[in-house]
């Protein structure tokens, strides 16, 4: 049985927050989970690595106020956009 | 003037040289600063299609950097050394110093700031080795990329024998280097130092690493603006001839301005987030070292990177140090002109301070398109401002929380 995208995202968030994945909820923000700003940037890298995607550039984004649920939806959207052209890795 | 200050050698600048996005020379850089002409443009890079970052403040192609060197020199010089030497040549020429004088060459030091050294050589050779499966690495790879190469190349250019080295403190490297030069002159170790900063690290790997930090702006640098979206990388070098006041006067040199003092500190807190306390210490130490009161300062060349964190922290720092005088300060960031050239940035920005002291004009902060309530000082957004400058400060606050601040005054009256 494979994990859902949400489970995989939450697990990576939990790793940065140093909490159990069960403590991450959709409305948890990185700040509320005490993920430091550098940890939030590393989380984006973790997500890109996990899903082999490129996170969109949101200029001046404040990752500290991102919610876990929003990160899941961004990953889902990027994966969906990527799907039709899944001929080769962009890397 | 304190007894402490008069008891030691005073340090003046007698030569300036620069290579930057504004072109070849300190003059064109100063003119671009005053005109508010940005050197930020579309990134020219072989891997541009694989990069998110699309802008940078690069040397103009017309500068033909390599044409300033022989083939033998080029084979042992990374770009970071090339820009350093070209800038040093301009500074030395302006100073009028002749290093054929053995007494002078024997004592003259070279102290250069750089953040990462020969990054382009490192990137190129790694690419051959790992990506192109080419097992042959150029035999001069080490001498091109070693951190001390820019200082070595300048010392070789003039046959200098004073203590020479490179100082690394990321974006504060230039100011730390210049302050080492100041200390050496003050304590009588030498009467002449070529000092400044150099950087040329716009490699594919380096650009990708900066992208990953997510602090690069997608279009341009807007220091202190509510619309600021991050920094824009640059490259280049600026070099200065520093002399003891006595030495400069004895030879009748034209003195451009005085480095009255400086202050350094470490935040001791976070590897990226700037901390006000450390910055305040560096500024207070600079004022005390220079024998200046906060109300003596008219102009501040800010670190002003255009990132969310820097600009608001730096503004708070200036409030904390200058109190009510803060609102009278003219504060500008010139990073939207020459980009954030990392280890070279403090030296490029010193061109702005030397110009302001010499010409009584303060360069503007360009691209300040929307006020930020948290950045509430006078950033000279309307354009270059003619005004007398009795004393000026140049801030550099590096990643890793390493701070170095210079305090400068006009050339002393005879």
């Amino acid at each position: 049985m494979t994990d859902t995208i949400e489970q995989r995202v939450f697990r990576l968030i939990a790793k940065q927050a140093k909490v159990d994945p069960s403590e991450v909820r959709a409305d948890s923000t990185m700040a509320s989970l005490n993920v430091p700003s550098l940890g939030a940037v590393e989380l984006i890298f973790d997500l890109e690595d996990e899903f082999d995607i490129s996170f969109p550039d949101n200029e001046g984004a404040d990752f500290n106020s991102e919610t876990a649920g929003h990160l899941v939806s961004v990953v889902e959207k990027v994966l969906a956009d990527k799907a039709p052209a899944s001929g080769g890795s962009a890397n | 003037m304190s007894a402490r200050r008069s008891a030691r050698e005073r340090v003046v600048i007698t030569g300036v040289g620069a290579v930057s996005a504004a072109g070849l020379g300190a003059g064109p850089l100063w003119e671009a600063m005053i005109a508010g002409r940005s050197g930020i443009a579309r990134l020219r890079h072989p891997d541009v299609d694989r990069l998110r970052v699309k802008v940078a403040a690069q040397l103009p192609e017309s500068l033909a950097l390599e044409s300033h060197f022989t083939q033998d020199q080029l084979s042992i010089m990374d770009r970071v050394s090339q820009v350093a030497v070209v800038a040093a040549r301009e500074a030395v020429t302006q100073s009028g110093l002749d290093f054929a004088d053995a007494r002078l060459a024997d004592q003259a030091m070279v102290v250069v700031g750089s953040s990462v050294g020969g990054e382009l050589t490192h990137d190129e050779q790694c690419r051959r080795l790992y990506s192109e499966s080419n097992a042959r690495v150029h035999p001069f790879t080490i001498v091109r990329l070693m951190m001390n190469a820019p200082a070595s190349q300048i010392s070789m250019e003039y046959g200098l024998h004073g203590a020479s080295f490179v100082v690394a403190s990321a974006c504060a490297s230039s100011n730390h280097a210049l302050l080492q030069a100041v200390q050496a002159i003050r304590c009588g170790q030498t009467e002449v130092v070529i000092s400044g900063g150099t950087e040329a690290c716009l490699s594919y790997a380096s650009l990708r690493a900066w992208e990953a930090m997510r602090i690069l702006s997608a279009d341009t640098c807007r220091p202190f603006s509510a619309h600021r979206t991050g920094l824009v990388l640059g490259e280049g070098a600026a070099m200065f001839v520093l002399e003891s006041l006595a030495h400069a006067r004895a030879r009748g040199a034209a003195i451009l301005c005085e480095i009255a003092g400086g202050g350094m500190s470490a935040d001791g807190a976070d590897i990226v987030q700037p901390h006000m306390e450390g910055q305040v210490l560096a500024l207070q130490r600079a004022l005390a070292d220079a024998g200046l009161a906060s109300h003596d300062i008219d102009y501040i060349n800010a670190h002003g990177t255009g990132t969310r964190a820097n600009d608001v922290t730096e503004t708070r720092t200036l409030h904390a140090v200058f109190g009510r005088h803060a609102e009278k300060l003219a504060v500008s960031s010139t990073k939207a002109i020459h980009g954030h050239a990392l280890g070279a940035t403090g030296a490029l920005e010193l061109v702005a301070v030397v110009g302001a002291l010499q010409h009584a004009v303060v360069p503007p902060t360009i691209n300040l398109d929307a006020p930020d309530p948290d950045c509430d000082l006078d950033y000279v957004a309307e354009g270059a401002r003619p005004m007398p400058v009795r004393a000026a400060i140049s801030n550099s606050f590096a990643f890793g929380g390493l701070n170095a601040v210079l305090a400068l005054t006009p050339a002393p009256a005879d």
Side-chain angles (χ1 to χ4, degrees):
Chain A
M1 193 176 96
T2 54
D3 290 341
T4 65
I5 288 172
E6 182 178 272
Q7 285 169 325
R8 290 161 71 187
V9 171
F10 281 18
R11 194 162 58 235
L12 289 170
I13 293 171
K15 189 187 95 183
Q16 286 292 344
K18 300 184 184 68
V19 298
D20 189 87
S22 64
E23 292 181 44
V24 179
R25 298 187 336 206
D27 62 353
S28 304
T29 65
M30 297 309 108
S32 72
L33 291 165
N34 294 319
V35 175
S37 57
L38 206 57
V41 173
E42 194 176 23
L43 171 63
I44 301 300
F45 172 78
D46 293 342
L47 292 169
E48 290 187 335
D49 231 21
E50 169 79 13
F51 296 99
D52 190 21
I53 57 172
S54 282
F55 241 68
D57 258 336
N58 27 358
E59 298 177 357
D62 179 6
F63 295 117
N64 299 314
S65 58
E66 289 273 11
T67 63
H70 183 243
L71 288 174
V72 172
S73 65
V74 173
V75 169
E76 286 172 342
K77 180 174 187 316
V78 175
L79 284 173
D81 291 347
K82 190 183 166 188
S86 60
S89 166
N91 207 23
Chain B
M1 204 82 19
S2 71
R4 182 174 162 232
R5 186 171 166 201
S6 57
R8 65 193 185 196
E9 296 288 348
R10 291 167 68 179
V11 181
V12 295
I13 294 177
T14 55
V16 181
V19 184
S20 71
L24 179 65
L29 175 57
W30 169 249
E31 286 158 21
M33 286 168 167
I34 289 302
R37 192 168 56 245
S38 177
I40 294 169
R42 187 165 174 78
L43 178 69
R44 288 176 273 112
H45 199 284
D47 297 301
V48 70
D49 293 340
R50 294 196 289 160
L51 289 160
R52 281 181 185 162
V53 55
K54 299 295 180 199
V55 292
Q58 296 172 281
L59 306 190
E61 279 178 298
S62 59
L63 197 141
L65 185 63
E66 297 191 348
S67 69
H68 297 263
F69 299 94
T70 65
Q71 202 53 49
D72 282 352
Q73 286 177 305
L74 289 173
S75 70
I76 55 167
M77 291 175 87
D78 184 271
R79 186 176 176 88
V80 74
S81 290
Q82 294 171 27
V83 285
V85 168
V86 170
R89 285 175 183 164
E90 182 189 358
V92 169
T93 299
Q94 183 180 19
S95 76
L97 287 173
D98 181 4
F99 292 116
D101 175 349
R103 191 198 65 85
L104 189 59
D106 191 57
Q107 62 155 321
M109 294 173 54
V110 183
V111 183
V112 176
S114 185
S115 180
V116 293
E119 165 62 25
L120 292 171
T121 295
H122 189 250
D123 185 69
E124 179 191 336
Q125 297 303 319
C126 285
R127 187 186 296 244
R128 286 168 62 98
L129 204 54
Y130 298 134
S131 172
E132 296 168 9
S133 299
N134 185 336
R136 278 181 298 280
V137 170
H138 194 281
F140 299 153
T141 300
I142 297 297
V143 300
R144 286 181 199 158
L145 68 74
M146 60 192 188
M147 278 295 296
N148 58 307
S152 298
Q153 290 289 349
I154 293 171
S155 74
M156 288 158 59
E157 177 82 8
Y158 295 106
L160 307 182
H161 305 297
S164 296
F165 48 90
V166 162
V167 173
S169 56
C171 315
S173 301
S174 285
N175 281 9
H176 273 111
L178 286 155
L179 284 173
Q180 297 314 303
V182 167
Q183 308 286 22
I185 293 171
R186 280 179 172 177
C187 74
Q189 187 179 356
T190 184
E191 292 169 297
V192 174
V193 188
I194 300 172
S195 184
T198 185
E199 203 77 72
C201 66
L202 301 179
S203 68
Y204 177 60
S206 173
L207 289 164
R208 289 301 299 262
W210 279 98
E211 283 177 359
M213 288 203 78
R214 295 181 180 269
I215 55 169
L216 296 182
S217 171
D219 55 359
T220 194
C221 174
R222 300 181 186 82
F224 303 107
S225 167
H227 294 161
R228 67 188 183 277
T229 53
L231 59 87
V232 174
L233 292 168
E235 60 174 351
M239 292 293 155
F240 303 83
V241 172
L242 273 53
E243 287 184 71
S244 71
L245 176 60
H247 189 270
R249 278 189 171 153
R251 67 185 188 91
I255 295 171
L256 307 179
C257 64
E258 178 171 2
I259 303 184
M264 300 174 272
S265 71
D267 291 347
D270 193 285
I271 200 70
V272 286
Q273 285 294 326
H275 276 244
M276 209 181 95
E277 294 78 4
Q279 298 182 359
V280 166
L281 266 183
L283 272 153
Q284 288 172 337
R285 288 170 182 171
L287 290 169
D289 184 56
L292 294 166
S294 56
H295 58 76
D296 292 330
I297 306 298
D298 291 319
Y299 172 57
I300 298 213
N301 186 286
H303 192 53
T305 55
T307 60
R308 305 299 319 169
N310 176 84
D311 294 2
V312 65
T313 306
E314 185 168 17
T315 297
R316 287 182 191 143
T317 293
L318 294 176
H319 277 294
V321 171
F322 290 92
R324 289 180 62 188
H325 184 66
E327 60 197 50
K328 295 190 182 136
L329 294 168
V331 179
S332 68
S333 166
T334 48
K335 280 197 171 65
I337 306 293
H338 48 70
H340 193 346
L342 308 174
T345 204
L348 292 172
E349 288 156 30
L350 189 54
V351 172
V353 176
V354 172
L357 289 163
Q358 271 196 289
H359 305 297
V361 184
V362 163
T365 303
I366 63 167
N367 300 337
L368 210 173
D369 50 1
D372 177 346
D374 292 326
C375 298
D376 56 357
L377 294 169
D378 172 4
Y379 302 108
V380 198
E382 75 286 359
R385 182 183 302 167
M387 58 176 269
V389 180
R390 296 167 300 151
I393 290 273
S394 186
N395 285 341
S396 283
F397 304 135
F399 271 174
L402 306 186
N403 311 303
V405 173
L406 304 174
L408 293 102
T409 49
D414 291 334

